[in-house]
Amino acid sequence: MPVMQRIKKPTTRKGKKVLLSKEPKPIEGPKQCIVMQGRNPSERTRKILKDIYDLKKPDAAYLTRKNDFVPFEDASLIEKMCNKKDAALFGVGSHSKKRPHNIVLGRTFDYNVLDMIELGAENFKSMSEFQNMKILTGLKPCLLFNGPAWELNEDLKRLKSLFTDFFHREKVETIRLQGLEHALSFTATDNNMIYVRSYRIQLKKSGQRTPRVELEEIGPSIDFKLRRTKLAANDLYKEACRVPREAKSGVKKNISRDAFGSKLGRIHMGKQDINKLQTRKMKGLKKTPEEQKAMRLKKKAKKAAIKNTVSKD
Amino acid sequence: MDIVNEILEREQKKAEKYKPITVEKHLDLQFDVGSLLAFDTNDLDTKSINSLKDTYLQSLSRDNTQLLLNKIWELPTERIEEAIVVRLPPPTTILPRAKPVPKPKPLTKWQEFAKEKGITKKKKDKSQWDEQLQKWVPLYGFRKAAAEKEKNWLIEVPQNVDPMTDMYEKKASEKSEKVAKNELQRLKNIARARKVKIPRVGIPVTSDKASATQLSTAASVAKASTASLGKFQDKLPKEKEARGKGIHELIPGKEKKRKAPIPTAQAERENNLNLIDSILNKRPKIDIDKAVSKHIHQEQVQRSVEKKNMKPTKGKAKSKGKGNVTNFSAKKPKAGKGQRNPSKKNPGRKRR
């Protein structure tokens, strides 16, 4: 249930709805992404950003304005834009002599930067340079991480999680088998190179139920070099990874079904206090005024007797 | 047997026509089928990466995709709207959230009370039948005000009220008071939920309204701001001087505790070294001025002693004691010296 703790009430119903939609929810939808240009983006970085945007399309926004800022020195602009667009993922491209073709990928938690990783694009071939059939937008891709470096290097470990976060799209329960069309491969070598390749999956006959897989490269193909990283502290990351109770699928206790499919519940009743039980009231059992008077006198006498004994002592 | 062999052979030939779906791997892959993720921890072929990068990566990806899809095709299938779908298991990789987990809404004071007493909310109809108007009137909102207006075209002034009161105005003010009270209650509930301290009565301290301590401080400072630092100012009954952190320094005439500025590292070091030097090099210091004055004093004392011991002349024998002009010394005259108990300490000269 959404909670709104504001001092100023929203004036319009629409404003209220917008505010409520921005409130944290126990089960979140797909993360929104903003793709923006940093300081002097080169042709290559702009194309990379565009391709990232194309891959992420229904859940992304491409901001065309150039922004003179450096995310690693001052991330306030990103935090502001993420707040404005209600986004949790961002990609920024820039270009300088020191860091040519720079791509910064990152994510936020509660509109504060959680992880930020800087990658230098050394080789790049855009999606448009591969002249073949592309995939439909909004497909959930198969993510392939190759190489032991993804596990051994701490930065790459977080980058793996970041790439998964970026491209996994949405948690789904069912998936159409014919819709498995896209494969994203991330290969990390020991010298901090990350090869990103994107393929279209072709399902061929194999003479069995499971098809034979063939891949066709559709781009983008990027050779990234890992540069600077700014990773969240472990406790913050742990806090961000907390799974709410609503999302946990626990076993429901004391519920069973019988042979006919009707639901049975076992409940626990505490011991009943019989002395305080209210039985049926009857006129015949009601005390007459005389009896009540006698009772009162008796009570008084008892009290007085107790008092006397106390005073004598 | 011939038939069996024939069929087997045919099947084998059929299988040869297609490429295999099995992949040989040194180490098994890690799968997260729920998020369609495969993780290959096998070592990469560095040679092929350098020479035939794209073909190597494609073949590697193909193998891993094949393994992932093999896993997916093992899952139970369903048919939803003429599409064959598989039910995916829940994903095992936990990704960070975009926003923190929402906390439960704090109860208002009334809700807390109702919960304690077991009071439950009763559902009311949205509109009620009005006997006077002979129509359905909404409980609140659209058309309620119009109905109210129609109903109250005339309000009787009661007996106990001043006959000149405007009953409509009175009703409106009552209503606005209720609204204001409700708003105050809402703010109080928010303050309670956020654990903000607010005064029980009155309004909280803002930039333009001072608190009691601020006022008493101002009064104390004003009182002490006379030429005589408030020494001759009368006290009000039950007046208390303002107390608290930082207030003492504000009041004029109060002793100020000045803290020495924090020395720089170099200065501190120098001070400490000087201190150590002065302790270790115990050379007696000679203050020449002091030594000279001491010496003069000693000489004077000696001289006066000598003069006292000298035999007094005849003429001057009668005048004795205080009146002795010649018995000059640097010290001031002391009262009754020699006549008091010598074991007692000298109480000093007699003041006149």
Side-chain angles (χ1 to χ4, degrees), chain A residues 248-260:
Chain A
K248 277 180 198 160
S249 55
V251 185
K252 281 183 181 167
K253 272 166 78 180
N254 303 341
I255 293 175
S256 59
R257 278 176 196 280
D258 63 4
F260 306 106

Side-chain angles (χ1 to χ4, degrees), chain B residues 9-235:
Chain B
E9 254 174 47
R10 211 190 293 159
E11 281 296 309
Q12 208 177 348
K13 266 185 187 173
K14 224 185 201 175
E16 274 168 11
K17 221 168 78 183
Y18 301 116
K19 283 180 181 170
I21 58 161
T22 50
V23 180
E24 284 288 313
K25 282 275 178 185
H26 184 62
L27 289 170
D28 280 343
L29 267 66
Q30 295 170 18
F31 293 105
D32 178 9
V33 182
S35 47
L36 301 183
L37 190 145
F39 178 29
D40 184 2
T41 45
N42 288 299
D43 278 332
L44 300 170
D45 189 355
T46 341
K47 245 185 204 169
S48 336
I49 281 193
N50 292 335
S51 54
L52 296 158
K53 193 165 61 190
D54 280 342
T55 43
Y56 172 71
L57 288 178
Q58 184 157 352
S59 72
L60 182 70
S61 303
R62 195 218 74 81
D63 288 353
N64 292 341
T65 317
Q66 180 75 63
L67 285 168
L68 180 62
L69 291 201
N70 288 354
K71 278 266 173 207
I72 293 169
W73 251 262
E74 280 170 17
L75 295 169
T77 54
E78 280 174 42
R79 182 176 277 277
I80 299 174
E81 292 171 3
E82 294 180 21
I84 296 166
V85 296
V86 285
R87 192 153 286 280
L88 293 174
T92 50
T93 44
I94 294 166
L95 295 168
R97 297 167 53 84
K99 283 165 209 170
V101 178
K103 288 189 184 96
K105 192 179 181 180
L107 295 176
T108 62
K109 201 165 183 181
W110 160 250
Q111 280 170 336
E112 225 163 60
F113 177 76
K115 200 179 164 191
E116 196 184 302
K117 294 280 175 188
I119 302 166
T120 47
K121 213 173 180 177
K122 267 180 225 154
K123 192 117 184 159
K124 275 189 214 162
D125 283 337
K126 230 194 145 186
S127 54
Q128 282 170 322
W129 179 254
D130 198 310
E131 281 294 329
Q132 194 185 328
L133 296 175
Q134 288 295 309
K135 66 175 178 186
W136 289 92
V137 170
L139 193 66
Y140 56 86
F142 183 51
R143 285 189 175 154
K144 163 77 178 175
E148 198 77 351
K149 208 175 174 185
E150 198 181 339
K151 207 174 160 186
N152 293 330
W153 63 276
L154 181 81
I155 309 175
E156 203 179 334
V157 181
Q159 284 267 305
N160 54 350
V161 177
D162 175 32
M164 293 314 285
T165 47
D166 185 350
M167 289 309 282
Y168 288 101
E169 204 174 76
K170 202 180 167 190
K171 214 172 175 199
S173 75
E174 265 170 18
K175 167 94 182 172
S176 69
E177 243 164 60
K178 263 188 201 168
V179 170
K181 192 194 167 191
N182 201 1
E183 178 67 12
L184 187 70
Q185 224 82 294
R186 188 180 73 88
L187 293 177
K188 268 187 181 171
N189 277 322
I190 290 173
R192 226 163 59 92
R194 291 188 186 172
K195 291 188 175 109
V196 180
K197 254 193 171 180
I198 47 165
R200 191 178 285 173
V201 281
I203 28 179
V205 178
T206 49
S207 56
D208 56 338
K209 288 187 183 66
S211 70
T213 45
Q214 283 169 346
L215 287 173
S216 74
T217 310
S220 297
V221 171
K223 205 177 152 188
S225 303
T226 61
S228 48
L229 302 172
K231 204 174 179 184
F232 306 108
Q233 301 300 306
D234 290 334
K235 237 184 179 183

Side-chain angles (χ1 to χ4, degrees), chain B residues 247-265:
Chain B
I247 292 172
H248 187 87
E249 279 76 38
L250 293 173
I251 298 168
K254 294 276 182 185
E255 263 179 48
K256 279 174 190 167
K257 282 177 202 165
R258 283 237 178 86
K259 272 182 196 168
I262 299 160
T264 58

